[in-house]
């Protein structure tokens, strides 16, 4: 696989849920990088998927639930969600998160 780079753009965001938008930034053979724009007051319902997920909160404040444990995550915080773990979030204020999924989430391409 040949490497490549993407330029920043406000285009390409899709609505994942009310108040939650996502954009796949880049992906390779084993990882996928996504940006999420999250509106304060929204909820990401508990769910699970076979991909491992790591994240970084660029701005804002969320309460992240991973396997029944709640984490209070603020700007600069990071997390990891094991493959198959149930997780969800309460968005406390407008937030931006960057997340990496491995293996690639085909539904995000």
């Amino acid at each position: 696989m040949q490497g490549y780079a993407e330029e920043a753009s406000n285009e390409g965001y899709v609505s994942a849920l009310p108040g939650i938008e996502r954009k796949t930034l880049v992906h390779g053979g084993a990882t996928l990088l996504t940006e999420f724009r999250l509106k304060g007051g929204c909820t990401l319902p508990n769910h699970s998927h076979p991909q491992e997920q790591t994240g970084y909160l660029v701005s804002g404040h969320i309460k992240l639930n991973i396997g029944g444990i709640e984490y209070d995550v603020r700007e600069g915080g990071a997390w990891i969600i094991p493959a198959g773990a149930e997780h969800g979030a309460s968005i406390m204020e407008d937030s931006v998160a960057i997340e990496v999924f491995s293996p690639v989430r085909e539904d995000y391409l």
Side-chain angles (χ1 to χ4, degrees):
M1 170 181 245
Q2 182 175 345
Y4 67 95
E6 292 284 330
E7 292 185 24
S9 168
N10 278 324
E11 298 176 8
Y13 289 88
V14 296
S15 177
L17 292 167
I20 299 175
E21 296 180 323
R22 69 172 162 77
K23 177 181 180 179
T24 296
L25 301 172
V26 293
H27 65 89
T31 61
L32 178 136
L33 182 67
T34 304
E35 179 181 19
F36 289 89
R37 293 180 178 176
L38 312 157
K39 286 285 185 194
C42 291
T43 300
L44 177 63
N46 282 342
H47 65 285
S48 66
H49 43 74
Q51 294 84 2
E52 182 177 78
Q53 177 178 348
T54 57
Y56 174 78
L57 195 62
V58 176
S59 63
H61 177 203
I62 65 174
K63 290 192 177 181
L64 184 60
N65 182 304
I66 304 171
I69 301 172
E70 185 173 271
Y71 300 91
D72 190 41
V73 183
R74 296 178 187 267
E75 182 175 319
W79 56 88
I80 187 160
I81 302 168
E86 188 165 297
H87 59 285
S90 296
I91 314 308
M92 307 310 293
E93 62 185 55
D94 288 357
S95 302
V96 174
I98 300 293
E99 295 192 292
V100 175
F101 295 89
S102 180
V104 171
R105 283 192 68 151
E106 298 291 330
D107 58 330
Y108 279 20
L109 296 178

